């Protein structure tokens, strides 16, 4: 179960919040952007608070269970 973050400037069109990651397992791959994902709710809430300074709207996407 992973939580994700989405951001919006107008509150209508939402996009995934991206973070830069360094890939050390693949030589020469360097930096790449991946969606912000966290396994614990506390961690994703901290991330949402951090990104709320950059974006007017931030929402947490909760995992769904089948």
């Amino acid at each position: 179960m992973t939580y994700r973050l989405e951001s919006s400037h107008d509150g209508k069109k939402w996009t995934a919040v991206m973070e830069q990651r360094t890939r050390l397992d693949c030589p020469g791959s360097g930096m790449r952007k991946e969606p912000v994902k966290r396994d614990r709710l506390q961690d994703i809430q901290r991330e949402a608070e951090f990104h709320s300074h950059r974006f007017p709207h931030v929402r947490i996407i909760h995992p769904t269970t089948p």
Side-chain angles (χ1 to χ4, degrees), residues 1 14-15 17 20 23 27-28 31 38-39 43-44 46 49 54 60-61:
M1 287 185 16
W14 295 88
T15 57
V17 176
Q20 296 216 353
R23 297 279 311 227
M31 299 289 277
R38 299 290 181 266
D39 292 327
D43 294 340
I44 200 73
R46 269 192 234 114
E49 185 177 344
R54 293 177 42 204
I60 297 173
I61 304 301

Side-chain angles (χ1 to χ4, degrees), residues 22 28 37-38 42 46-47 51:
T22 304
K37 295 180 185 176
R38 299 290 181 266
Q42 275 184 315
R46 269 192 234 114
E47 284 284 334
H51 288 289

Side-chain angles (χ1 to χ4, degrees), residues 16 18 32 34 48 61:
M18 304 299 274
R32 48 182 248 186
E34 296 180 357
I61 304 301

